[in-house]
Amino acid sequence: MKEKLREVADQARELIAACQTANDILNAKAQYLGKKSLINQLYTQLRDLPEQDKPAFGQLINELRAEVEQLLERRDQELKQATRELHDQTREQDLSLPGCFQPRGSLHPITIIRRRIEDVFIGLGFEIAEGPDIDDEFHNFDALNTPPDHPSRNLADTFYLDNGYLLRTQTSTVQVRTMEKYPPPIHIISPGRCYRNDKPDPSHSPVFHQVEALVVDKGISLADLKDTLQNFAQIMFGPQVRSRIRPHFFPFTEPSAEMDISCVSCKGTGCRICKNSGWLELGGAGMVDPAVFKMLGIDPELYSGYALGVGIERIAMLKYNIPDMRILYENDVRMLRQFSGETG
Ligand code: DAH
């Protein structure tokens, strides 16, 4: 029996070392480890041994089995490695294979439009000013001549924080901060995020973006405001676009106006988008109220100015024909992908 065991072991070692393919390995496995294998036959032969010899021989067969398993595994790995090396040496470059596609991110439509608006105003001689998202009642309301009982101060409209701070409801705060810091002449725009306690719907979002513009100098009149509006409208929406202002009310401007452009969809003839009026509302504007100047130490007898504010979402929706503001915030990649390649 010992003799037999040694014979099987020697044969197995030789055969496994001679394996050249994965198929050879499979055959050797069947021959030594399968149901009808030589090793299994040895187990059967155990039965005929005297009782006291059985455990020692059983142990030897177990060891042989473990060794064969190990040898097979090792040879299999050697063959695989050799195949890999051969493949690497002989592989040719297939120039017709498609390249590796690296998906690239794109700018968000709000960023694209913000940058375009900035470009238009920079081209008109404006500089960019910034202010904090968290501001106080003075900069958001008091200095903008907003009376204590004005509805916009309401808890239902404004997000108040502790100690008199709030999330700014308008970028007009930056008008105040700029006039506090710099003497006229002033030509600035301030793009930024605003916050209002609004429920999201097709035209509202609790977080949104505005661009404010402020000009303060000697001899500034409504004509300058209209000129800037017309320039802005044409550069943003095309040379055929017309603009107009309508009387309105804002606490910080006198007179105040709302700015319209001719409908970009029907070109002014009337359609669903402009509710058949031929005009689209763009934002608010007006001549800086002398009360604001006085509060900030600017002499209203010497200086005058205009201010305007537009919503970035509103312009993005008009430009890209987006029917619902919430689409801009859901960030569905199928929507965002449509803007890849636009640099703003
Ligand atoms: N801040 C105003 C708003 O959020 C928009 C606005 C109106 C800005 C008139 C102005 C302005 O600068 O003159 O509704």
Side-chain angles (χ1 to χ4, degrees), residues 144 169-173 175 194 196 208 210-214 249-250 252-253 255-257 283-288 306-310:
L144 288 164
T169 62
Q170 48 190 350
T171 41
S172 307
T173 50
Q175 287 192 24
C194 305
R196 281 185 205 173
F208 59 101
Q210 282 186 339
V211 178
E212 177 87 9
L214 172 72
F249 174 81
F250 294 102
F252 39 91
T253 41
S256 299
M287 300 305 293
V288 180
Y306 69 81
L308 63 89
V310 291

Side-chain angles (χ1 to χ4, degrees), residues 174-249:
V174 186
Q175 287 192 24
V176 178
R177 291 187 169 274
T178 308
M179 287 189 272
E180 272 176 333
K181 255 206 227 152
Y182 303 105
I186 293 170
H187 288 78
I188 55 115
I189 57 161
S190 58
R193 210 167 269 174
C194 305
Y195 307 82
R196 281 185 205 173
N197 201 352
D198 284 331
K199 251 207 186 135
D201 71 19
S203 53
H204 291 89
S205 163
V207 183
F208 59 101
H209 300 76
Q210 282 186 339
V211 178
E212 177 87 9
L214 172 72
V215 171
V216 183
D217 206 345
K218 288 177 183 156
I220 299 292
S221 75
L222 262 188
D224 297 296
L225 165 60
K226 285 183 76 173
D227 180 58
T228 302
L229 168 61
Q230 181 59 24
N231 266 310
F232 175 73
Q234 283 187 321
I235 303 170
M236 277 309 279
F237 294 101
Q240 77 291 346
V241 170
R242 289 164 291 127
S243 63
R244 71 175 188 188
I245 55 174
R246 277 178 293 114
H248 199 72
F249 174 81

Side-chain angles (χ1 to χ4, degrees), residues 47-99:
R47 262 188 255 138
D48 308 328
L49 287 182
E51 209 51 49
Q52 74 272 22
D53 292 341
K54 278 183 185 170
F57 270 103
Q59 171 81 14
L60 285 173
I61 304 172
N62 285 346
E63 281 169 16
L64 175 63
R65 190 185 163 85
E67 185 191 342
V68 168
E69 276 172 358
Q70 216 178 23
L71 287 173
L72 278 168
E73 176 60 28
R74 200 178 305 152
R75 184 69 191 140
D76 191 37
Q77 289 306 324
E78 280 171 9
L79 288 174
K80 281 186 180 144
Q81 179 61 22
T83 315
R84 247 179 260 132
E85 279 167 17
L86 188 74
H87 179 71
D88 281 350
Q89 280 162 15
T90 56
R91 185 171 51 180
E92 284 184 11
Q93 299 283 0
D94 181 352
L95 298 179
S96 68
L97 282 175

Side-chain angles (χ1 to χ4, degrees), residues 15 24 56 86 94 128 153 183 239 243 269 305 312 329:
L15 190 100
D24 292 347
L86 188 74
D94 181 352
I128 296 179
R153 294 196 187 232
S243 63
T269 53
I312 299 183
Y329 297 105

